[in-house]
Amino acid sequence: MIVAGIIRLVKIGIVRPLAVLLLGLALVVGALAFAAGHFAMTTDTGALISPDVDWRRNESKVETAFPHLTDAVLIIVDGRTAEIAEAATIKLTARLSTDATHFRLVRRPDGGAFFDREGLLFGSTAEVKAATASLIGAQPLLGPLAADPSLRGVANAVATLLTGVENGSTSFDRIVGPVRAMRVSLDLSMQGKPATFSWQQLFAKGGTTVAPLRRLILVQPKLDYGSLEPGNVAVAAIMSHAAALGLDAAHGVSVRATGEVPLADEEFASLQENIGFVGFVMAAAMLLTLWLATRSVRIVAAILVTTVAGLVITTAVGLFAVGTLNLISVAFIPLFVGLGVDFGIQVSVRFNAERRDGAAVDVALKNAAIALAAPLTLAAGAVFLGFGAFLPTDYVGISELGIIAGLGMVIALLLSITLLPALLVLLKPNAPKTEAILPGAAATDRWLVRHRRAILWAFGVSMVGSIALLPVVRFDFNPLHLRNPDGPAMRALADLMHDPLRTPNTINVLAANPEQAAVLARRLSALPEVAEAITVDSFVPADQPAKLSLIEDASLLLDATVNPFDITPPPTDAETVTALSATAAQLAKVGASQTGRSATEALALGWTFDRLARATPAARTRAAELLVTPLGTMLDQVRASLTAGPVTRASLPPEVAGDWVAKDGRALVQVFPRGDSNDNRVLTRFTKAVRSIAPEASGLPVATQEAAKTVAFAFIQAGVLALALVSILLFLVLRNVREVAFTLAPVVLSGFLTLGTCAVIGQQINFANIIAFPLLFGVGVAFHIYFVMAWRGGATDLLQSSLARAVLFSAIATGSAFGSLALSHHPGTASMGMILMISLAWTLVCALIFEPALLGPPGDRVE
């Protein structure tokens, strides 16, 4: 009945070609309008997995309790000195906080008033003692600097130190390091070269914690969901603000953005990179192959029009069915084109064969319909069921791909038996003059007959070898490896991941309350795979009485020093010159009394001060910016640190406590891995260890590994289901178990051979290229159905038939066109193109060599 219906549809296309063409045009226009108005695509890899699996629910609980963890942009501010980094971060944070147009939240996770004030308490008691002793020792220098924060004040502060050297209260050896650092920076500044100077580094002594050169700002942007890159405008705003503030390399600052939002935007942008070139190669390969298959420009045009029309209609139907495309479901495009072109080639090559035998256009199409109706219908049905097998899986990306691709196969079949015949009637291609037999086909057919047993043994051994190699095949579960490593956000993330306490590869555990979180953190911290477990109590410093006593003692000594009652008015340039000249003379005098390195550095700084005094006012302005700007930052931090007070969980500011204790009282534990967090093996051990104590843990390491398991199980589940459904369909049609096996065995073989090849060449399977296997299944089932049905119909010398020509060029068209994806700059897409080429190559080998050898002469058929 179905076959008869297909033949009737073909006849309608023959009899009323213009009406069919107009109807097809109307459908395409309607589909275009719908697709244009409803097109939506997400690059969120989290959307590829069902939210109902256990690990996704755990993830959702954490994100609901702590919403600042979602849709975030992490701004990395690096400075050549700690003061530059801190000043730049303060400026940028303030600037972004006023931009309500682009940002909902702006905060500093590692800085701000609380950390400025209480930061010293987070060091050990020994470190606090060393830091306060360093500040007290620097009192002679801090006093003049705080009272006169100018280039004149710097010169006078150096003069104060020199007076101490002259009267014997200190040794020049103790200040030779700071003297040299100042001299080198000033020399670079006067040469017009980039120069930096750090007062914090200057005051640092053994045992003192050196301030980091990196600061972080966390923002939640207002996303433009109407754009394919929702966060692009916000990230551009960040860079614009940074540029307006002069936060650039010329000023010793680097500002970069990474995180969930910019990485997703960058993912889509990298997919678009060199897409024009890839598209050109794809189109050229497809056109060339279609012409070689049909040797007719008109037939090629008919196939292309049919394929494009089907693709447009399938896009609209797919959007209606699933709503939003994702990084996996968008692969319906190569799947549809691959199988749609196959249907078109099958019809056109058979049509050409009939035309070559003298049939008119209409008769040739009718004969082709009679010959192909059954195999095309069975192939489309089998592919439809194969894709449908993904529907019950938790891998939403592939499930939605199955929906769209399955519906696409129905659309492709309908257009191949209606629109394509109508176009062929209207275009009236000339009858071919050459034989459709492939070169060497007759000799290959005879070779297959003579060596049938050896060929089957060879393929059997190859399959066993491929199965043996399966343990070598690696599934790369890290989605970051699918991204372009040269993208700005990806480069920033890779840099951040080398910092063990800033790596994003952390695990989150949700506890009922802070007390339970503290207990859990202690258990987790004891694991050898864990570097640190942080809770809200991590922000309540230990040993506070001893540390506060040290800070209070330092404050009593230094308060009047760093907070002078009188601040000297800013100097004139003449006053600055006078101070520099006087200090230069004093340095020359002290240098003459020193020996070795001390003499050299004293004299050298004296010459630098003297040259600076005789330089232009602009040179002194640059010198003031070099020395005085970080001085202000350093003094502010010293003043804040000397006001430290007791810290309790209750006294933590809301912006700190809120990151660790939710409004409902639940508490967060963040666990950091020990070792290289970029190493999948380290992450696997880390995740396993943490989940042995906290099974409901979530976070990037858990998500990537659980996603890999979900995907692997989805493909196993769908593979078994697809094999069962297609086997049932084939048996219902063929009524012969042996013929069902003849159809499916080469498909299974080509799958194992593809995996074996991946093992040999070191090609890892990942979230992107794994979708080559549904295409392998779809094309393979179709090809082998064609051969089996021709064989059961009594066909001999299969490689000399028009069918073999159609299969060959269909595989070449699909393989070469979508193999061009290997040229993409996007690593995931490129690996997909590689797997597609490998899988289609083995599919073709199995179809043209293994299948004919397996089938044998028609007389071998058992009813």
Side-chain angles (χ1 to χ4, degrees):
M1 181 183 297
I2 295 176
V3 172
I6 286 177
I7 294 173
R8 283 196 296 271
L9 286 174
V10 173
K11 288 180 179 179
I12 291 173
I14 296 170
V15 175
R16 299 181 181 276
L18 191 58
V20 170
L21 180 61
L22 291 175
L23 178 60
L25 180 61
L27 287 173
V28 169
V29 171
L32 273 174
F34 181 86
H38 296 80
F39 184 83
M41 179 177 172
T42 177
T43 57
D44 180 11
T45 54
L48 301 178
I49 307 293
S50 169
D52 296 325
V53 297
D54 289 342
W55 65 272
R56 285 297 306 276
R57 283 198 289 265
N58 295 336
E59 194 174 64
S60 178
K61 289 176 184 177
V62 173
E63 291 176 350
T64 301
F66 300 97
H68 69 277
L69 297 175
T70 63
D71 294 336
V73 176
L74 187 66
I75 304 171
I76 304 172
V77 181
D78 291 313
R80 289 204 195 106
T81 66
E83 292 94 334
I84 291 176
E86 179 66 18
T89 305
I90 291 171
K91 290 179 184 177
L92 187 56
T93 302
R95 183 74 169 251
L96 296 177
S97 298
T98 63
D99 186 355
T101 303
H102 296 108
F103 306 104
R104 292 187 288 112
L105 171 71
V106 179
R107 52 178 299 274
R108 293 185 59 187
D110 62 350
F114 171 76
F115 291 102
D116 287 345
R117 185 177 62 254
E118 314 294 351
L120 269 180
L121 294 176
F122 290 98
S124 66
T125 303
E127 288 173 333
V128 174
K129 185 176 182 179
T132 52
S134 177
L135 288 174
I136 293 170
Q139 187 175 20
L141 190 60
L142 287 173
L145 291 173
D148 185 5
S150 66
L151 186 56
R152 176 188 60 191
V154 171
N156 290 336
V158 173
T160 301
L161 290 177
L162 294 175
T163 299
V165 172
E166 289 176 325
N167 63 27
S169 61
T170 189
S171 166
F172 195 89
D173 290 341
R174 295 182 60 188
I175 64 171
V176 68
V179 165
R180 183 181 187 282
M182 184 177 293
R183 189 261 304 168
V184 170
S185 296
L186 286 173
D187 284 346
L188 289 172
S189 174
M190 284 192 289
Q191 293 169 22
K193 297 179 180 179
T196 57
F197 185 78
S198 173
W199 291 97
Q200 292 186 31
Q201 187 70 38
L202 193 72
F203 293 143
K205 292 183 178 179
T208 304
T209 301
V210 178
L213 305 181
R214 172 169 291 170
R215 303 289 192 275
L216 302 178
I217 306 173
L218 185 72
V219 303
Q220 281 187 313
K222 293 182 178 178
L223 301 177
D224 177 13
Y225 290 105
S227 169
L228 294 175
E229 298 177 43
N232 189 47
V233 173
V235 172
I238 292 170
M239 298 307 165
S240 176
H241 287 309
L245 292 169
L247 306 182
D248 51 33
H251 294 87
V253 182
S254 166
V255 176
R256 295 174 292 171
T258 189
E260 181 182 347
V261 172
L263 283 171
D265 289 346
E266 197 168 272
E267 176 87 357
F268 191 82
S270 68
L271 285 169
Q272 298 181 80
E273 280 185 28
N274 81 323
I275 192 172
F277 175 69
V278 173
F280 171 77
V281 173
M282 183 181 293
M286 182 72 73
L287 288 172
L288 177 61
T289 308
L290 288 176
W291 185 85
L292 290 173
T294 63
R295 299 298 176 119
S296 170
V297 173
R298 295 180 184 183
I299 295 179
V300 170
I303 294 174
L304 287 178
V305 169
T306 304
T307 303
V308 172
L311 184 59
V312 172
I313 296 171
T314 301
T315 301
V317 171
L319 288 169
F320 177 78
V322 304
T324 301
L325 300 178
N326 57 54
L327 290 171
I328 299 297
S329 63
V330 75
F332 81 89
I333 296 174
L335 289 174
F336 177 87
V337 173
L339 291 165
V341 165
D342 172 60
F343 290 167
I345 288 178
Q346 293 294 332
V347 172
S348 300
V349 169
R350 186 58 187 247
F351 166 76
N352 262 351
E354 297 290 339
R355 289 280 284 148
R356 190 181 57 256
D357 291 339
V361 170
D362 56 340
V363 176
L365 283 170
K366 289 175 185 177
N367 291 342
I370 293 170
L372 295 173
L376 283 181
T377 304
L378 183 56
V383 174
F384 178 83
L385 290 177
F387 287 135
F390 285 97
L391 292 182
T393 69
D394 290 323
Y395 192 12
V396 174
I398 204 73
S399 175
E400 293 181 352
L401 172 63
I403 295 172
I404 302 172
L407 293 172
M409 289 307 95
V410 177
I411 294 168
L413 177 63
L414 290 174
L415 291 181
S416 295
I417 60 176
T418 54
L419 181 59
L420 180 58
L423 288 168
L424 292 174
V425 169
L426 292 172
L427 293 173
K428 295 182 175 61
N430 296 323
K433 298 177 181 179
T434 58
E435 285 289 327
I437 298 175
L438 296 172
T444 306
D445 270 327
R446 292 192 296 271
W447 180 80
L448 288 173
V449 172
R450 288 197 307 271
H451 300 90
R452 181 186 177 197
R453 186 177 298 276
I455 292 169
L456 293 178
W457 270 106
F459 275 101
V461 171
S462 298
M463 183 167 180
V464 171
S466 297
I467 293 173
L469 286 171
L470 288 182
V472 183
V473 178
R474 291 287 176 262
F475 188 92
D476 185 359
F477 58 75
N478 194 332
L480 296 178
H481 295 166
L482 302 182
R483 303 179 187 273
N484 182 359
D486 295 324
M490 192 60 212
R491 282 202 307 270
L493 180 65
D495 184 24
L496 196 66
M497 291 173 75
H498 288 100
D499 187 338
L501 292 182
R502 285 192 171 104
T503 174
N505 280 316
T506 59
I507 289 179
N508 297 320
V509 183
L510 203 57
N513 51 58
E515 289 73 23
Q516 187 183 36
V519 172
L520 193 57
R522 283 193 293 272
R523 293 181 61 196
L524 291 169
S525 296
L527 294 171
E529 296 84 1
V530 171
E532 186 177 8
I534 295 178
T535 69
V536 66
D537 289 337
S538 301
F539 298 88
V540 180
D543 301 325
Q544 290 189 50
K547 296 174 186 176
L548 286 171
S549 176
L550 290 168
I551 293 172
E552 287 169 5
D553 289 345
S555 180
L556 287 173
L557 292 171
L558 295 173
D559 182 60
T561 300
V562 297
N563 295 292
F565 291 106
D566 295 316
I567 302 294
T568 306
T572 63
D573 184 59
E575 291 172 331
T576 300
V577 169
T578 300
L580 287 169
S581 298
T583 305
Q586 193 173 6
L587 280 163
K589 180 182 177 182
V590 170
S593 67
Q594 302 294 311
T595 59
R597 186 186 175 203
S598 294
T600 301
E601 292 300 339
L603 293 172
L605 183 60
W607 295 330
T608 297
F609 272 23
D610 182 62
R611 284 191 296 117
L612 185 58
R614 291 184 285 104
T616 63
R620 285 185 289 278
T621 299
R622 288 197 304 271
E625 291 175 355
L626 172 67
L627 300 177
V628 177
T629 301
L631 174 63
T633 302
M634 182 272 294
L635 289 172
D636 287 342
Q637 291 179 320
V638 169
R639 293 176 184 122
S641 66
L642 293 176
T643 63
V647 179
T648 64
R649 188 193 297 166
S651 70
L652 288 173
E655 65 269 17
V656 175
D659 284 352
W660 301 92
V661 181
K663 293 179 180 178
D664 60 6
R666 289 180 295 173
L668 182 68
V669 182
Q670 191 171 52
V671 192
F672 289 79
R674 186 185 301 278
D676 182 6
S677 65
N678 292 306
D679 189 331
N680 285 347
R681 293 169 297 181
V682 170
L683 290 182
T684 300
R685 291 193 296 268
F686 168 60
T687 303
K688 183 179 179 180
V690 172
R691 296 183 81 189
S692 68
I693 293 176
E696 295 187 353
S698 63
L700 185 58
V702 175
T704 53
Q705 293 171 58
E706 285 298 321
K709 295 176 184 177
T710 301
V711 170
F713 181 75
F715 272 84
I716 294 172
Q717 178 186 3
V720 172
L721 183 58
L723 201 60
L725 291 174
V726 173
S727 297
I728 293 170
L729 174 65
L730 291 174
F731 181 76
L732 290 175
V733 174
L734 302 176
R735 301 289 180 175
N736 188 301
V737 174
R738 185 180 180 220
E739 291 176 4
V740 172
F742 282 173
T743 304
L744 294 179
V747 179
V748 175
L749 173 61
S750 59
F752 280 117
L753 290 173
T754 298
L755 289 171
T757 303
C758 289
V760 171
I761 67 175
Q763 174 64 59
Q764 294 183 326
I765 307 300
N766 55 49
F767 290 114
N769 62 32
I770 199 169
I771 67 171
F773 291 93
L775 177 61
L776 166 66
F777 182 84
V779 172
V781 166
F783 286 174
H784 299 301
I785 283 175
Y786 300 150
F787 275 111
V788 170
M789 294 199 72
W791 176 79
R792 78 194 306 264
T796 60
D797 298 327
L798 291 176
L799 296 186
Q800 299 175 57
S801 65
S802 60
L803 170 61
R805 181 184 182 87
V807 166
L808 172 65
F809 284 105
S810 176
I812 293 175
T814 305
S816 61
F818 298 105
S820 63
L821 293 174
L823 301 173
S824 172
H825 289 169
H826 183 264
T829 304
S831 69
M832 187 199 317
M834 179 64 70
I835 296 287
L836 281 168
M837 283 195 293
I838 294 171
S839 65
L840 285 166
W842 281 120
T843 298
L844 186 59
V845 170
C846 289
L848 296 182
I849 304 297
F850 178 67
E851 185 72 84
L854 182 66
L855 293 173
D860 286 358
R861 182 172 177 267
V862 177
E863 297 293 342

